[in-house]
Amino acid sequence: MSDTSSFPESDASTDGYVRIVCVLNEQGLHARPAARLAQEAQKFSADISIKQGSQQVDAKSILDILTLAARHGTNLELRAKGDDAREALDCLADMFKKRFQQ
C-alpha cells in the first residue's frame, strides 16, 4: 500500500473526506509528532478525527492522539468534515508522508 491515499465518502458535502495514512517514522506517533499533528489540525475549522480500528479520536488533541499508541507501519484513517476539510487532510497527510520533518 502507498503511504497515503484519499477518497471522498459517499457525499463529501455531508459526510466529509477520508484519507488513509501510514505512520512512517521509526518511533511511531510519539509525543513530538503527535503535538505537531494536533497543532497543525487546530489551524483548520473542519472537524478532524483519526481512526485506528474501532478507536476514533480528535486530531486536535495531543492526548487523544497519544492514546492510539500508533507504531511504525500502522495505517490510520484521517477523517475531516467542514469547509476546509480537504485542505486539512492534504496538509496532515503530507506531514505523515514527510515523517513529521520540516
Side-chain angles (χ1 to χ4, degrees), residues 16-82:
Y17 292 90
V18 176
R19 172 118 4 132
I20 306 299
V21 296
C22 184
V23 178
L24 299 174
N25 42 318
E26 293 297 321
Q27 294 84 20
L29 199 51
H30 60 89
R32 188 170 294 131
R36 290 196 59 219
L37 184 63
Q39 187 176 39
E40 198 64 31
Q42 291 170 13
K43 294 178 182 178
F44 297 94
S45 64
D47 292 326
I48 309 167
S49 62
I50 305 171
K51 186 173 181 184
Q52 178 182 359
S54 62
Q55 186 178 7
Q56 185 165 319
V57 301
D58 182 359
K60 297 181 181 185
S61 168
I62 183 176
L63 294 177
D64 282 5
I65 295 169
L66 289 172
T67 64
L68 294 173
R71 297 178 180 204
H72 172 75
T74 301
N75 287 323
L76 301 173
E77 191 175 277
L78 301 179
R79 296 177 161 266
K81 183 177 180 180

